[in-house]
Amino acid sequence: MHFTPLNDRVLVELVHADEVTSSGLFIPESAKEKPNHGRVVAVGEGGYINGQFRPTALKVGDTILFGKFAGSLIKLDGSEYLILMEDDVFGKLEG
C-alpha cells in the first residue's frame, strides 16, 4: 500500500531499541521506552504559514528526532509507523 501524507505531515518508520543489553540481559517489552527517533518514509508537500506556502524541510531517508508523545501510531501492511506534523520534529540526526 502506498501512503502519501498531506500538507506538512511526515510518515516515520520507528527505530526500536535493542532487545538485549550489552551485558546480555533480555529487556521485556513492558520495560522498553517508546522510540524517539526514526527514518522518514514519506513526506507531504508542505503547508501555509501566515499566507505563505512553505515546502517541507524533510526528505525521505532522513533520520529524525521527535518528542516521546508526538504523532499518531498507525499500522500499514503489518508494520508500525508514526505520522507527525513537521513542527513535532526536533531535528535531523546525522552520522
Side-chain angles (χ1 to χ4, degrees):
M1 178 182 306
H2 182 72
F3 180 84
T4 303
L6 298 177
N7 302 327
D8 63 343
R9 290 179 177 83
V10 294
L11 183 68
V12 178
E13 181 178 38
L14 300 175
V15 176
H16 293 284
D18 296 332
E19 294 189 13
V20 179
T21 64
S22 58
S23 61
L25 296 175
F26 175 75
I27 302 172
E29 193 67 36
S30 60
K32 291 181 188 175
E33 289 189 20
K34 182 179 174 186
N36 65 345
H37 65 284
R39 187 177 59 84
V40 176
V41 177
V43 295
E45 66 277 351
Y48 286 91
I49 296 178
N50 298 329
Q52 298 287 337
F53 181 77
R54 186 187 74 166
T56 306
L58 300 171
K59 63 183 185 298
V60 174
D62 285 344
T63 302
I64 59 169
L65 185 67
F66 50 85
K68 258 187 191 179
F69 303 105
S72 299
L73 195 61
I74 64 166
K75 281 194 176 193
L76 293 173
D77 296 332
S79 298
E80 285 188 342
Y81 297 94
L82 194 65
I83 297 178
L84 296 168
M85 299 289 284
E86 188 177 18
D87 290 343
D88 292 334
V89 176
F90 296 144
K92 297 179 188 180
L93 296 171
E94 297 183 24

